Amino acid sequence: MDYPFFSGLIQNVALLLVFSFLYATKWIDSTHSKKLLPNVFAGIIVGGIGVLLMFTPWTYQPGHYFDLRTILLAIAGLYLGAVPTIIAILIIAAYRLYLGGDYVIAGVGLIIISGLLGIGWKYFQQRLGVKNSIVSLYLLGVIVHVCMLILPIFIPIEGALALVEFMALPILIIYPVITVLLGLLMNRQLKVWRNRKEKDWLYESEQRFTKMMLDINMVFINLDIDSKIIFCNDYLLSITGYTEEELIGKNTVDIFVPEDEKETTEKGLKELFENNRSLHHFESKILTKDNKELYISWYNSVITDDYGKIKGIASLGENITEKKATLNNLKEAKEKAEESNRLKSVFLQNISHEIRTPINAIMGTIDLLKESSEKEVREKYYEVLRLSGTRLLSTINDLIDISQVETRQIKVNKSNFNLSEIIANHLNVATPIAGKKNNKIVCTSKYLHTNTMLYTDKNMLTSIFINLLSNANKFTADGIIEFGSLDEHGNIVFYVKDNGIGIPENRIGVIFDRFVQADSSLSRPHEGSGLGLSIAKAYAEMLGGNIWVESEEDKGSTFYFSIPKDEVTTTTTHTNKENNEITQLPNHKILIAEDDKLNYLILKKIVENMGVTNILHAENGLEAVEMVKKDTEISLVLMDIKMPKMSGEEAIQKIRIFNPTIPIIAQTAFAMPNDRDKFIEIGSNDYIPKPIDKNELKRLLKKYLPAHSTI
């Protein structure tokens, strides 16, 4: 073989290397991207290389020329795919047709077969999951060039068989080898491309991951095997108050872990390293820069190198501080709700007892009164009825008061009144009640002996006094109850001190709560609804003050409540002459509008005891209006509010149309604090709640009617 043999072969190989270079630098991305235009362009270039191969054949023997277009097309089909290869087939086949010659049909057929075999071999291997190995490439080279040898046999041209015999040796030896070498070069370039792509993908993935970890609203931190921080995100810095410089290179246990949890945390990290666990989840506390505690839910992963050696830990944490607080609040709320339900059950049992007991006493005493005619015995029964009625009324009043406090329907109605008289009044009322239990009441308040005017809600203040004095007397026997006051921090502070049973230490914090008593057991020896202190607390706060207690079990209690002192004014002392007169109201005609016959009889008896004999009765509001209109001698009307046919409210309004001066006193079972103002607004002169207090009724009759007084 001479120089033309080698020069032509080298030129053909060089063109194949150009094809390989273009594949590595230009086409490999486009062929994998499946974009049409780059693939068309690649096909045109491959077709041009095929034409150049045909321009520079290598001479095997004089008159016999060979080129490597079959290898080009087979490899193009295998690596570039269908679109570029088919375009290349069309270009090279067209050029072969243009050249013409005896073997033009065989040449075109060989071009088509070579390209299609490459394409088919590609999809055949993909289907089997086989890669382009040496064996696979060699088989492709043999198959393509066996077809190259067989094709001329089927063409009826003289000398075709001799040509095949002549070409067989170089084609079956050289061409498959060149196919393998070119394929291996393409494999290497493909591998380099894939490695580069993987690195690019890993870099991009790492950048995205790093950015995500920096921006995510979760804690992210990397530790080395010594638990030192090598990376942390902005969220960790923001919630802990540290800077990155203060954390990088520092031991995470020393910085973040509370002292009492350091041992446990170090043990957990050691377990994570030793067991090489991919995920290890736990919750822990971390400390901020200003020593506040945060709760973090951690998800940890061990980081290893290419040889499986542990390099550190990557930890992703969720800040569950607020969630933890919410859960704790829900737990506390649930416990409080359960406790509230329990207390309400106890309260309902207590209220049932407080209502049924006096009713039972009243019903039983009525039966006993029927059986007894002895005056002394009957007097005792009357006292039982009075005490039971008072107890029942107290329970009902407590229920009404607490319901108004709970629903915020009660309002503060301030007025000027004599504080000294109020204190003296409660002292006079409470002293005989306390005496029944051998208790002595002592008043040490300086305001008892001064003419002190106070501007506040008189009813609320009275209720607080009653509840505290009643409470002290209830839990004290054979003792002393001190009722006093002192000036403190701009307030006037009243106190009620006893030496009774006291309050257990674990109950002091809850005795002012609704439905709570110091002793809530069914065996408790003291009566009462358990609402008094709750009502007193609500009223004290509504008046601008506060209420609190100091107590020691078995030694006694002191209850304090305050009122702003700027509402207290003191004038000179004076003494009131005690009024011992018995008021008589003869020569008056009084109309009692009452639909209940029993209540009418009670009212009638009280009025008769004041010397009034001319008493009229209206059973409904309509009758009351007509009687006042027809009888101008009626001096005063006692008007029930709830009556049939026409209510007392409507009756008052109609009477005021034609008689604006006649005194009208509303008497009703409506006993809310705002009811008095309501009834006065519609036209009544005054108001008295049921059950009727005979002394209060006498006071009102004396107020609105001229009277005779006897000594």
Side-chain angles (χ1 to χ4, degrees):
M1 296 182 189
D2 55 11
Y3 173 77
F5 172 86
F6 288 104
S7 64
L9 181 60
I10 290 172
Q11 288 177 0
N12 271 237
V13 170
L15 287 171
L16 291 181
L17 292 175
V18 169
F19 163 74
S20 173
F21 174 78
L22 290 173
Y23 171 74
T25 58
K26 301 293 183 182
W27 300 335
I28 193 167
D29 287 320
S30 60
T31 55
H32 283 82
S33 70
K34 306 298 182 184
K35 292 181 180 178
L36 181 61
L37 191 60
N39 280 288
V40 170
F41 182 74
I44 293 171
I45 299 299
V46 173
I49 293 174
V51 171
L52 289 175
L53 287 171
M54 295 170 66
F55 261 124
T56 56
W58 52 281
T59 304
Y60 179 62
Q61 283 186 1
H64 297 283
Y65 304 99
F66 296 89
D67 59 61
L68 303 181
R69 77 188 98 146
T70 53
I71 298 174
L72 173 70
L73 290 170
I75 293 297
L78 184 61
Y79 287 91
L80 298 184
V83 174
T85 305
I86 290 172
I87 292 173
I89 288 172
L90 293 175
I91 292 172
I92 298 171
Y95 181 71
R96 182 66 186 87
L97 286 171
Y98 170 76
L99 291 178
D102 293 337
Y103 294 97
V104 64
I105 296 175
V108 170
L110 183 59
I111 290 169
I112 295 170
I113 290 172
S114 299
L116 294 179
L117 281 173
I119 295 170
W121 198 257
K122 172 184 176 71
Y123 291 106
F124 173 73
Q125 288 192 128
Q126 287 179 348
R127 195 177 180 118
L128 295 180
V130 178
K131 294 182 179 180
N132 294 325
S133 63
I134 294 176
V135 175
S136 171
L137 291 168
Y138 187 80
L139 286 175
L140 174 63
V142 170
I143 292 171
V144 169
H145 294 98
V146 166
C147 292
M148 180 179 176
L149 294 174
I150 293 175
L151 195 60
I153 298 175
F154 295 98
I155 299 174
I157 297 177
E158 184 179 351
L161 186 58
L163 179 62
V164 169
E165 291 177 356
F166 176 77
M167 293 190 305
L169 183 62
I171 287 176
L172 292 179
I173 293 175
I174 298 174
Y175 276 48
V177 172
I178 296 175
T179 302
V180 170
L181 293 175
L182 182 59
L184 291 176
L185 181 60
M186 301 287 278
N187 282 348
R188 181 168 168 31
Q189 291 169 335
L190 182 60
K191 183 178 180 181
V192 170
W193 176 82
R194 284 174 175 165
N195 288 340
R196 187 177 73 249
K197 283 295 180 183
E198 286 178 0
K199 287 180 180 179
D200 291 343
W201 181 84
L202 285 173
Y203 177 77
E204 291 173 2
S205 177
E206 182 180 349
Q207 291 299 308
R208 286 195 299 269
F209 179 76
T210 302
K211 188 176 187 309
M212 181 182 71
M213 290 299 103
L214 285 171
D215 297 340
I216 194 172
N217 283 333
M218 294 183 74
V219 175
F220 184 73
I221 187 170
N222 279 353
L223 308 177
D224 62 16
I225 56 174
D226 297 320
S227 301
K228 291 182 179 179
I229 302 169
I230 57 177
F231 175 83
C232 62
N233 66 349
D234 292 339
Y235 181 73
L236 175 63
L237 301 177
S238 67
I239 65 172
T240 59
Y242 286 103
T243 63
E244 189 173 3
E245 292 75 16
E246 291 174 317
L247 295 182
I248 300 302
K250 304 294 173 52
N251 189 294
T252 185
V253 177
D254 294 338
I255 292 180
F256 290 127
V257 180
E259 196 65 37
D260 59 339
E261 294 187 5
K262 285 186 177 181
E263 184 178 349
T264 306
T265 304
E266 289 174 345
K267 183 179 178 182
L269 290 172
K270 184 179 180 182
E271 177 187 349
L272 203 61
F273 282 129
E274 291 179 351
N275 297 336
N276 193 9
R277 298 174 65 177
S278 59
L279 280 176
H280 183 59
H281 173 244
F282 63 88
E283 293 179 4
S284 69
K285 290 183 291 186
I286 66 170
L287 296 177
T288 64
K289 192 173 182 178
D290 54 1
N291 281 326
K292 291 182 180 178
E293 290 185 346
L294 299 177
Y295 287 89
I296 307 295
S297 177
W298 294 104
Y299 297 86
N300 303 294
S301 178
V302 172
I303 300 173
T304 59
D305 59 17
D306 295 338
Y307 303 100
K309 185 178 179 181
I310 295 175
K311 304 295 290 183
I313 297 174
S315 298
L316 185 65
E318 179 187 3
N319 185 359
I320 59 171
T321 306
E322 291 185 5
K323 187 186 294 184
K324 200 93 170 176
T326 301
L327 289 174
N328 289 336
N329 290 338
L330 288 173
K331 184 179 179 181
E332 290 178 7
K334 177 176 177 289
E335 291 173 352
K336 286 182 179 179
E338 291 173 348
E339 177 67 6
S340 178
N341 286 334
R342 186 190 70 80
L343 292 173
K344 285 179 181 179
S345 297
V346 174
F347 168 76
L348 289 174
Q349 291 174 344
N350 184 26
I351 289 298
S352 175
H353 174 269
E354 290 301 313
I355 291 175
R356 291 174 181 273
T357 299
I359 289 178
N360 180 66
I362 291 170
M363 300 299 293
T365 303
I366 290 172
D367 291 337
L368 292 174
L369 279 170
K370 293 178 182 178
E371 299 174 1
S372 176
S373 58
E374 297 180 22
K375 184 177 180 180
E376 291 183 3
V377 174
R378 291 176 71 87
E379 286 293 331
K380 291 181 180 179
Y381 291 158
Y382 289 142
E383 180 64 12
V384 171
L385 288 174
R386 188 187 67 79
L387 292 174
S388 297
T390 301
R391 180 177 177 183
L392 181 60
L393 182 61
S394 175
T395 299
I396 293 172
N397 285 337
D398 282 350
L399 288 172
I400 292 172
D401 288 346
I402 198 65
S403 68
Q404 291 188 12
V405 169
E406 291 283 353
T407 57
R408 298 182 181 179
Q409 292 182 353
I410 193 167
K411 295 181 180 179
V412 176
N413 295 307
K414 292 186 177 182
S415 61
N416 284 304
F417 59 88
N418 193 311
L419 177 60
S420 309
E421 291 181 1
I422 293 293
I423 293 175
N425 211 17
H426 286 297
L427 187 62
N428 293 334
V429 171
T431 297
I433 296 174
K436 294 179 181 180
K437 296 184 68 176
N438 292 325
N439 289 327
K440 181 180 179 181
I441 294 186
V442 177
C443 183
T444 59
S445 173
K446 70 178 183 180
Y447 297 106
L448 176 63
H449 304 295
T450 59
N451 188 25
T452 301
M453 299 302 294
L454 181 65
Y455 181 70
T456 189
D457 191 305
K458 180 180 178 181
N459 292 331
M460 287 187 179
L461 183 63
T462 297
S463 179
I464 297 172
F465 282 146
I466 291 173
N467 279 312
L468 295 186
L469 287 169
S470 174
N471 201 64
N473 189 57
K474 184 191 302 183
F475 297 102
T476 305
D478 303 316
I480 296 175
I481 298 171
E482 181 183 345
F483 176 27
S485 65
L486 50 93
D487 296 331
E488 187 177 275
H489 305 303
N491 292 326
I492 175 171
V493 179
F494 296 99
Y495 63 88
V496 176
K497 181 178 181 181
D498 64 68
N499 56 359
I501 64 174
I503 304 169
E505 185 177 354
N506 64 340
R507 303 296 292 174
I508 289 178
V510 297
I511 59 168
F512 292 109
D513 294 346
R514 276 71 160 147
F515 317 120
V516 175
Q517 293 176 300
D519 182 1
S520 58
S521 66
L522 294 177
S523 60
R524 59 190 178 85
H526 309 285
E527 64 182 44
S529 64
L531 295 173
L533 292 179
S534 298
I535 295 168
K537 180 177 185 293
Y539 286 172
E541 291 174 351
M542 292 175 73
L543 294 177
N546 199 3
I547 190 169
W548 65 98
V549 63
E550 295 175 357
S551 183
E552 188 174 349
E553 195 169 7
D554 298 326
K555 291 188 178 181
S557 306
T558 304
F559 284 85
Y560 301 87
F561 73 94
S562 61
I563 291 178
K565 192 176 181 181
D566 57 5
E567 300 191 1
V568 179
T569 58
T570 305
T571 62
T572 57
T573 60
H574 77 288
T575 56
N576 292 326
K577 180 181 178 181
E578 187 177 355
N579 187 3
N580 293 321
E581 296 179 345
I582 301 173
T583 302
Q584 294 293 312
L585 302 171
N587 304 320
H588 286 294
K589 184 185 288 187
I590 294 178
L591 171 62
I592 300 176
E594 174 62 68
D595 63 318
D596 187 271
K597 291 183 179 179
L598 181 58
N599 285 335
Y600 166 70
L601 292 174
I602 293 171
L603 288 169
K604 181 183 177 184
K605 189 64 177 175
I606 295 172
V607 173
E608 286 177 343
N609 288 342
M610 297 186 72
V612 178
T613 57
N614 198 353
I615 300 172
L616 303 179
H617 180 211
E619 294 185 352
N620 57 67
L622 190 60
E623 286 184 11
V625 173
E626 292 300 319
M627 293 174 74
V628 173
K629 185 181 292 186
K630 292 177 181 179
D631 193 341
T632 58
E633 294 182 356
I634 296 175
S635 305
L636 181 141
V637 179
L638 286 172
M639 182 73 73
D640 185 27
I641 295 300
K642 188 175 182 181
M643 291 188 294
K645 294 187 179 180
M646 182 185 290
S647 70
E649 291 183 46
E650 187 178 355
I652 292 171
Q653 291 171 327
K654 288 187 177 296
I655 290 172
R656 285 301 179 217
I657 294 173
F658 59 83
N659 191 336
T661 59
I662 186 171
I664 301 175
I665 299 174
Q667 46 96 16
T668 176
F670 295 112
M672 299 299 181
N674 297 329
D675 286 340
R676 183 180 186 279
D677 295 337
K678 173 184 174 184
F679 297 135
I680 289 175
E681 283 178 9
I682 64 173
S684 65
N685 297 83
D686 223 312
Y687 157 85
I688 184 169
K690 294 179 180 179
I692 301 295
D693 184 328
K694 68 177 182 179
N695 293 324
E696 178 64 13
L697 180 57
K698 288 179 179 180
R699 186 187 70 79
L700 291 175
L701 292 176
K702 177 184 174 183
K703 178 180 178 181
Y704 292 104
L705 295 175
H708 291 306
S709 296
T710 60
I711 303 298

